[in-house]
Amino acid sequence: MTGYPSLCMMIDGERVAAEARRTHQVVNPATEETLGELPLADAADLDRALDAARRGFRLWRDAPAQQRAAVLSGAASLLRQRADHLACAATLEEGKTLAEARMEVMMAAALFDFYAGEAHRIYGRTLVRPAGQRSTVTKEPVGPVAAFAPWNFPIGNPGRKLGAPIAAGCSVILKAAEEAPASALGVLQALYDAGLPKEVAQAVFGVPDEVSRHLLGSPVIRKLSFTGSTAVGKHLVRLASEDMKRTTMELGGHGPVLVFKDTDVEAVLDTMVPHKFRNAGQVCVASTRFLVEEEIYERFVDGFAARARTLRVANGLLPEAQMGPMANARRPAAMEKLIGDAARRGAQIRAGGTPMGNQGFFFAPTVLSNVPTDADVMNEEPFGPVALCRPFRNEEEAIAEANRLPYGLAAYAWTADAKRQRRLGREIEAGMIGINSVAIGGADAPFGGVKWSGHGHEDGPEGVEACLVTKALHEGAVP
Ligand code: NAD
């Protein structure tokens, strides 16, 4: 495939090729063609990475803030310069449209710029003590980080996993998704080219369970950072707890969207339909359960279905594509199962509902109405292009449904009533809430969930704070 790089791991400054190692075939989800063969780490590779991460930490924790900042802002500039090339790799590997992939590069660059600033703002404090005594509170980097990034944001997720530890003075071993390695390697290369010492950040790939057990079983690693499903997250937290490692867990969501009758239905649809189908719905903060006040419910569902039917679904490289394929063969299979279950339980399929074409992992933008709350799709994260609609009678009922699930990542609400806006902001159990807006992110904004959606944050000052430990030093008078 032209333009797709040869794949490797980056361990202790060396490009590690397949040689006799096991490999993983990276597949273009739009065409099912093989893009490349990715080497998978064996135990010796992981031990080498751990040894380098130990050395990298000693080096980087002592690096001045200016140096850390220069690396991050230099990498941000390089990402912008290389945006077209990186976006193309992301689309080839993951399927999203080029426009979305390009936006992702820009977001990663903005995050690196923000973290470059944060590297200068790691402050401590001095306590008030009698003369001759001195007590200081300092923030220190937590140590080498094992970071696991999923495939749905192949540039943005590695950017988050690398940026915060580097700003804080940690070293990091990144295991990005085996499905989308070239994008992650492109982000890492920008950091190297901006001057990052190669022991400070490394990239390994492998059999996920083998890699996570090996890295989390090592005392070298002091922090786990994971983005992915709640089921895998719980398993990794258990492994990390054996050695009391710090954890930042960005897990699943099941985003409720509360739509009240005092809003402009057409304007809400114009925002929410593209939001729903962004990245074919494979977004942890996706809008999923559309809870609509009964007076406007039918109009809302009709409008949603009509818009879904006109979306142009195509290979993300094509300029006309508004939605690409799903990222891998597991996703359309999961969609069919969830939609079949919902239909059997009485949900109506108002648009889509089936795979598309005979090549690639395409799935039609789908709208289901009157989905019963005991349908699997109303309880498991669907992670796909399906909107689930249900009517509600009043605010209490809508809030109760929003909070019914153990997930609490993102939630959205549309209402013109200022008092209600405040009530919803207080009552909805979610880490991020958008009221009359879907713009819930930004380099300066903490990104993270509550309940089964995880704990800790990425982005914002909180992202760097999560890579720091606090030390209190109390010094008496010299005897
Ligand atoms: P999955 O749950 O097996 O994998 C999710 C991610 O976790 C992948 O990147 C995978 O490589 C990684 N992973 C899996 N087992 C691991 C282990 N033992 N150690 C370390 N990493 C491990 O399944 P999947 O089919 O890739 O995705 C399915 C579900 O995962 C989706 O339905 C969605 O709920 C969730 N997911 C969430 C996000 C997110 O942004 N929160 C991203 C991707 C997938």
Side-chain angles (χ1 to χ4, degrees):
M1 177 63 63
T2 42
Y4 192 80
S6 69
L7 299 170
C8 62
M9 297 187 282
M10 292 300 305
I11 299 178
D12 200 7
E14 274 178 39
R15 287 175 63 87
V16 177
E19 294 162 9
R21 292 175 180 81
R22 295 163 297 172
T23 59
H24 171 87
Q25 277 198 353
V26 182
V27 169
N28 180 338
T31 62
E32 299 182 52
E33 285 167 347
T34 298
L35 292 164
E37 293 279 339
L38 178 69
L40 302 181
D42 53 33
D45 292 324
L46 297 173
D47 282 338
R48 230 153 41 91
L50 284 164
D51 186 54
R54 189 182 47 73
R55 284 182 274 115
F57 175 58
R58 309 293 301 184
L59 181 76
W60 200 238
R61 67 168 198 176
D62 295 333
Q66 289 82 349
Q67 189 184 352
R68 296 182 205 163
V71 163
L72 286 162
S73 59
S77 303
L78 291 172
L79 288 179
R80 290 190 187 98
Q81 283 167 30
R82 299 170 187 176
D84 288 337
H85 183 73
L86 270 169
C88 186
T91 295
L92 285 170
E93 294 178 326
E94 200 267 353
K96 64 179 59 189
T97 65
L98 262 182
E100 286 183 38
R102 223 174 170 285
M103 209 180 303
E104 206 182 314
V105 180
M106 294 305 162
M107 284 165 58
L111 187 62
F112 280 3
D113 271 337
F114 179 79
Y115 279 153
E118 285 304 292
H120 290 280
R121 291 189 283 270
I122 298 172
Y123 301 128
R125 66 188 196 276
T126 305
L127 307 181
V128 178
R129 288 291 180 270
Q133 290 182 25
R134 206 166 77 115
S135 288
T136 50
V137 179
T138 53
K139 299 282 180 180
E140 297 181 355
V142 61
V145 177
F148 300 89
W151 39 263
N152 60 333
F153 285 89
I155 295 159
N157 283 327
R160 283 179 166 160
K161 297 288 173 226
L162 292 164
I166 288 170
C170 299
S171 59
V172 51
I173 301 177
L174 172 71
K175 190 203 81 61
E178 286 68 32
E179 286 98 334
S183 307
L185 289 167
V187 176
L188 184 57
Q189 192 61 49
L191 287 159
Y192 289 154
D193 292 345
L196 186 74
K198 296 202 167 38
E199 309 89 315
V200 176
Q202 306 173 84
V204 299
F205 298 97
V207 175
D209 193 48
E210 273 178 38
V211 178
S212 51
R213 279 182 195 277
H214 198 108
L215 296 183
L216 297 177
S218 163
V220 170
I221 297 297
R222 294 312 319 152
K223 176 180 165 143
L224 155 70
S225 174
F226 174 74
T227 300
S229 61
T230 295
V232 174
K234 286 182 178 180
H235 163 68
L236 295 183
V237 163
R238 277 183 214 112
L239 291 182
S241 73
E242 288 295 320
D243 190 33
M244 212 50 84
K245 298 185 200 302
R246 257 304 226 351
T247 54
T248 294
M249 308 304 290
E250 303 285 2
L251 307 178
H254 207 293
V257 185
L258 283 57
V259 187
F260 290 85
K261 65 183 179 201
D262 60 5
T263 47
D264 176 342
V265 172
E266 301 304 318
V268 173
L269 286 169
D270 286 344
T271 303
M272 292 317 301
V273 174
H275 185 259
K276 168 68 259 179
F277 297 115
R278 181 168 73 113
N279 197 18
Q282 302 162 119
V283 180
C284 54
V285 293
S287 41
T288 298
R289 281 172 294 154
F290 290 86
L291 313 173
V292 186
E293 199 157 11
E294 56 189 4
E295 289 87 337
I296 56 166
Y297 178 69
E298 275 308 322
R299 197 174 139 215
F300 184 88
V301 176
D302 283 346
F304 213 120
R307 283 169 172 80
R309 280 192 287 268
T310 62
L311 274 181
R312 288 188 294 279
V313 182
N315 186 327
L317 290 177
L318 300 174
E320 66 268 25
Q322 291 176 303
M323 189 180 103
M326 304 198 76
N328 54 58
R330 300 188 296 282
R331 298 316 310 149
M335 285 302 100
E336 281 195 276
K337 195 158 168 269
L338 289 170
I339 292 166
D341 170 76
R344 271 191 301 282
R345 292 176 195 261
Q348 286 120 43
I349 301 177
R350 305 285 281 262
T354 53
M356 294 174 82
N358 49 15
Q359 185 191 49
F361 311 129
F362 292 95
F363 201 90
T366 298
V367 179
L368 303 184
S369 66
N370 301 338
V371 193
T373 52
D374 62 352
D376 291 347
V377 74
M378 285 293 286
N379 297 283
E380 291 169 27
E381 183 178 35
F383 223 62
V386 57
L388 313 172
C389 303
R390 279 180 64 83
F392 67 79
R393 277 177 304 228
N394 55 44
E395 186 181 313
E396 293 68 38
E397 193 181 302
I399 292 172
E401 169 55 26
N403 291 341
R404 178 179 60 86
L405 294 184
Y407 295 109
L409 192 57
Y412 307 90
W414 293 86
T415 177
D417 180 335
K419 284 190 180 156
R420 178 186 285 143
Q421 290 167 6
R422 234 163 282 142
R423 283 196 299 275
L424 296 174
R426 195 178 54 241
E427 294 301 328
I428 295 178
E429 297 165 358
M432 294 163 281
I433 303 183
I435 306 244
N436 299 332
S437 172
V438 289
I440 58 165
D444 57 350
F447 186 99
V450 297
K451 300 172 28 183
W452 281 15
S453 293
H455 54 245
H457 290 93
E458 295 186 299
D459 302 3
E462 289 85 353
V464 177
E465 182 69 34
C467 296
L468 299 170
V469 287
T470 302
K471 183 183 274 177
L473 179 63
H474 303 278
E475 297 162 274
V478 178

